[in-house]
Structure formats: structure tokens, C-alpha cells
Amino acid sequence: MATSHESLQLDTPMAAKCGCWSVLRRSVTGACNTSTSKDSPNTIPPTETRYLNASNRELCPPNEAHLSSDNPTPPPSDEKSNCQLLQFSFQELKSATGNFRPDSILGEGGFGFVFKGWIEENGTAPAKPGSGVTVAVKSLKPDGLQGHREWVAEVDFLGQLHHPNLVKLIGYCIEDDQRLLVYEFMTRGSLENHLFRRNIPLPWCNRIKIALGAAKGLAFLHNGPEPVIYRDFKTSNILLDSEYNAKLSDFGLAKAGPQGDKTHVSTRVVGTYGYAAPEYVMTGHLTSKSDVYSFGVVLLEILTGRRSMDKKRPSGEQNLVAWARPYLAEKRKLYQLVDPRLELNYSLKGVQKVSQLAYNCLSRDPKSRPSMDEVVKVLTPLLDLNDLAILSYHSRLSQQGRRKKKSDGTQQITYTQSKSIRDSPRNTGKQQKR
């Protein structure tokens, strides 16, 4: 495994020319050189040990990790895109967030707290709340090497990668032991909140739109000149703007993908239980198909309204993939998977397509999983479907009602005819003669 100095060094060709990257190189590597690991190449230093929960992402303890080098080296890019990042002072961000007020906290993750703030347009100066540009300010917990690594990876990747379905990194702050990142503010928060923490269910059409947007973001990462593996795809990392456009956030675990003849990247196992691909957890071999598996899990969450791992459910239903797999394999059982809160307000064909896609993404054989480009092609036409289950239900009820009415009418006619025959003069005369 690379030492901390090697992992955090930013000696890219443009570093000497670009002011912001010169600062990063001097400050970050300088800060971390003092804590260079003396451990053997196959041991994770204690500062890297992180236990898995909603915000902590190490999937195995240090002595069980599968390693080679695991630095956050990003794909090279032109220096112009990197120099677009703004460098903030700590005091500016302190003022922009109202002294990091508790009531301005948007969320908390493995990195640290995220605060809502305001800055002036086209600059770094703080603005009054409700004016200027609304931003999200993420503050690093001072917990050692691992946090520094993720901070550098985040700046490095999002400083170079730009796409409508990736959250925009506006700038950063590196001052003494302070490490902060400044992002565009995403009005509607995370997909996780909309799926699991709100009483009003997320409409089906929005679910498909979000899935498609997230898929496009992953496809962009995988298909670049030098592929990037996201490695932590989950609902809490999918942020939504006011129009429910999805953007991937939190690139702290992103890693440059295999190139040339290499089929995978060997790395320590990080991520979140319930989302990580089984072959990656077992071997540490990372490929773009690891992200595809994680996408399949999120697709299941979107379909079912259930969390990937939920200890509150009965034992056989706690692991979403294990519970759902038998339903995905049988067409007659598919609709038992659908989030009941949708109350038939979903596309029949859409459910079939999404279920089949999730099943393919969750294949135990990584080579059988589709590429993210193929996923995008499957999801795109689903936006236009209008075959809602509730319309089909009402149509069946209407047909049943017409059949019943027709049947009742026939019975009434038969009864009337038979009565008129019995009461006819001819029959009455015969009865009187008898």
C-alpha cells in the first residue's frame, strides 16, 4: 500500500502552473507527511480504520483488507478546469454559514457536517442569508489520514469532472487544520430523504427521472478517456435539484479505473453494506461493474420503497436484495415488490422493465451485468409511459360492471318473457279448461 505521502501527493503536470493546486500540494502533502505510515505495505494504519454504519464506509477490518495501492489519483485533465475552483478563507465560510450555526446543518456524513450558507455571486465573500448564491459547505472532521484522503480525492475528481448529473464543486478551504468544500446547493436534498423519511411518497415519474439522471452520471464516469469508479453509489449520495434532476455527490471514495490490459483495480474494500458488489467485498477487485451492482440495489430501493438493509424488518426481509431476488425472477410476482404507498400510481410496463433491469444489474456474475450506457438506454423510454396500473384497474372494474349489467339485463328479460308466456290468454284458457 502506498504511504500517506504518496496517497495524497498531487504532482500532476499542471500543479506547478496552477495556483490553487500549488496550494493544495504544499498544504495537504505537508500536513500529511508528518503522519506517514510505517506499517508494512499490506497493513492499513490505525487512522484508516473506520467502522461501517450509515456514514462510515470501511467494509472490513484492517487485517482483512485486500490491498494494493489505494491512492485517490484522478485522471489527468487540463489546468483550466481545475483553476476554476475558488479558494475560500476559513473566516469567509464561517461568516457565510452564520458561524456554522446548528440550525444551518443540512446533514452529516463520514466526512463531517454539511452546512447551508450564502456567498456573493462570482466571488468568495459571504452574503446575507437569502441573498447571493446559496451553497452547501462540507466541513472535514479532524480524524486523521482517512479524512484527508477523501478530501483530496473529492477536490481532485470534482475539480476536473463536469457533467449535469454530477454535483458542482464551487471551491475549497485549506487553512491550518481546516478542510472544507463548497458545493452548489441542492434544493430537494437526497433521494434517501424522499424515499424513506417523508410521509408523501415520491411519484413514480420522479423515481424514473432520478434513476435515469443517476445512471447518466455513472455512465459519464465510466466512459471517460480514463474511467472513474464511483465506489459509493447509494441513495444518500444522490442529490436532487428543484426539478428532481439527480446529481452524484461525495467523491471521497472515487478511484481511477483499470486501464490498458488490466481488468480490475485491487484496493482496500470500502463502501456501504447492502450496496457493495459481493465479488468486490470478497476479493477487493474493483471494476465499473461494481458500480453497476450498486445501481441495481438503488433501483430496487426506488421500486420497493425499502432500504437496502433494514434491521427493523423480519429476518427474511432485512437484506433487500436477498428478499427481492425471488420476486424479480418471476413475472407474476413482480408487482408484489412495488412500494405500496404508490397505490397503483405506477406504470405497469415500467415496473416490468425496472425489475428486469435491477435483476440484470444484480447478477452474481459481474460480466453478465449491463454497462451503464445500456442501463441509460433501457430507462430513457420509461419516462414516456402512461400505462398506469390504476387506469388498468378502473378499466377492468368498468368492464366487469358492464358484463354484470348485461348479464342482469338478460336475466330480467328472460324472467319477463316467461311470465308473459304464462300469463298469455292462450295459456290461461288452457289452464281454465283443465
Side-chain angles (χ1 to χ4, degrees):
M1 179 179 175
T3 64
S4 58
H5 174 73
E6 293 169 332
S7 297
L8 292 168
Q9 194 159 354
L10 295 170
D11 283 328
T12 54
M14 49 76 179
K17 300 178 183 179
C18 180
C20 62
W21 290 96
S22 298
V23 172
L24 282 177
R25 183 178 61 176
R26 288 196 306 271
S27 304
V28 180
T29 60
C32 296
N33 280 342
T34 58
S35 60
T36 301
S37 171
K38 296 181 181 179
D39 292 45
S40 66
N42 293 321
T43 305
I44 297 178
T47 49
E48 290 189 48
T49 305
R50 306 179 70 188
Y51 299 94
L52 188 77
N53 54 39
S55 60
N56 246 344
R57 303 178 292 195
E58 190 74 44
L59 285 174
C60 60
N63 59 343
E64 294 178 11
H66 307 278
L67 302 171
S68 65
S69 64
D70 189 41
N71 58 50
T73 306
S77 178
D78 60 47
E79 59 190 74
K80 290 183 180 180
S81 64
N82 294 295
C83 289
Q84 289 174 355
L85 294 181
L86 300 176
Q87 184 176 359
F88 293 82
S89 70
F90 180 73
Q91 187 58 46
E92 285 173 331
L93 295 182
K94 186 177 180 181
S95 299
T97 58
N99 200 22
F100 301 106
R101 294 193 317 271
D103 62 351
S104 70
I105 293 176
L106 296 171
E108 181 185 10
F111 185 105
F113 288 102
V114 182
F115 299 87
K116 187 176 183 178
W118 289 266
I119 62 173
E120 296 290 351
E121 290 187 31
N122 304 317
T124 62
K128 293 181 180 179
S131 64
V133 178
T134 310
V135 295
V137 180
K138 189 156 68 170
S139 175
L140 168 66
K141 290 178 181 177
D143 63 351
L145 174 61
Q146 183 66 32
H148 286 293
R149 270 195 177 160
E150 294 191 16
W151 187 88
V152 173
E154 187 103 0
V155 176
D156 232 342
F157 281 107
L158 282 181
Q160 299 179 55
L161 300 170
H162 305 280
H163 187 270
N165 297 110
L166 303 185
V167 71
K168 181 183 178 182
L169 179 64
I170 296 173
Y172 63 91
C173 169
I174 179 166
E175 192 173 301
D176 298 326
D177 61 345
Q178 302 293 340
R179 304 286 183 274
L180 300 98
L181 297 173
V182 182
Y183 303 90
E184 63 176 317
F185 176 69
M186 300 297 286
T187 311
R188 296 193 181 274
S190 72
L191 174 58
E192 178 188 35
N193 287 338
H194 284 272
L195 281 179
F196 309 126
R197 298 181 181 178
R198 300 200 175 183
N199 294 327
I200 301 175
L202 189 64
W204 176 259
C205 58
N206 288 348
R207 297 186 192 212
I208 297 300
K209 182 177 183 178
I210 291 165
L212 177 58
K216 288 179 177 179
L218 278 183
F220 168 75
L221 295 177
H222 293 175
N223 295 331
E226 298 190 10
V228 174
I229 301 174
Y230 186 57
R231 204 158 51 148
D232 200 24
F233 187 83
K234 55 186 178 181
T235 53
S236 60
N237 283 345
I238 300 172
L239 302 184
L240 310 173
D241 68 11
S242 59
E243 301 298 323
Y244 291 95
N245 294 304
K247 301 191 181 189
L248 306 187
S249 68
D250 196 346
F251 278 67
L253 298 183
K255 187 163 181 65
Q259 299 177 26
D261 296 334
K262 293 184 178 180
T263 58
H264 63 269
V265 177
S266 294
T267 174
R268 62 195 171 94
V269 180
V270 295
T272 304
Y273 279 126
Y275 293 98
E279 75 281 356
Y280 170 54
V281 174
M282 293 176 64
T283 66
H285 292 175
L286 186 67
T287 71
S288 61
K289 295 302 178 74
S290 306
D291 280 347
V292 175
Y293 182 93
S294 301
F295 183 85
V297 177
V298 169
L299 206 54
L300 265 188
E301 290 182 301
I302 289 172
L303 176 65
T304 64
R306 295 180 177 223
R307 291 182 179 273
S308 61
M309 296 293 294
D310 192 346
K311 298 297 184 182
K312 295 180 182 179
R313 292 191 177 274
S315 58
E317 300 180 19
Q318 292 180 1
N319 184 304
L320 177 59
V321 173
W323 170 76
R325 203 182 287 275
Y327 293 92
L328 293 173
E330 290 192 38
K331 198 170 183 178
R332 293 181 180 179
K333 294 183 177 181
L334 289 182
Y335 298 102
Q336 296 179 42
L337 289 173
V338 181
D339 187 345
R341 295 178 302 162
L342 287 173
E343 297 181 340
L344 299 179
N345 290 299
Y346 56 83
S347 163
L348 293 169
K349 187 175 181 180
V351 167
Q352 295 175 12
K353 292 290 185 180
V354 166
S355 300
Q356 184 61 52
L357 183 59
Y359 184 77
N360 293 339
C361 290
L362 295 170
S363 173
R364 293 181 176 89
D365 178 10
K367 295 179 180 178
S368 297
R369 296 170 197 157
S371 68
M372 288 310 303
D373 270 344
E374 292 170 329
V375 169
V376 170
K377 288 179 182 177
V378 172
L379 289 174
T380 299
L382 303 190
L383 287 173
D384 300 323
L385 296 178
N386 54 13
D387 59 329
L388 293 180
I390 193 167
L391 297 178
S392 175
Y393 174 74
H394 286 314
S395 176
R396 288 199 304 272
L397 284 182
S398 178
Q399 290 175 359
Q400 290 173 1
R402 285 198 297 269
R403 284 198 296 267
K404 184 177 180 182
K405 188 174 181 180
K406 184 177 180 181
S407 175
D408 290 345
T410 303
Q411 292 176 359
Q412 181 66 32
I413 291 172
T414 303
Y415 171 78
T416 304
Q417 288 175 340
S418 63
K419 187 175 184 302
S420 63
I421 291 172
R422 288 197 307 270
D423 295 343
S424 66
R426 183 179 298 177
N427 284 337
T428 302
K430 289 180 180 179
Q431 291 173 359
Q432 288 175 348
K433 288 179 180 178
R434 288 178 185 172

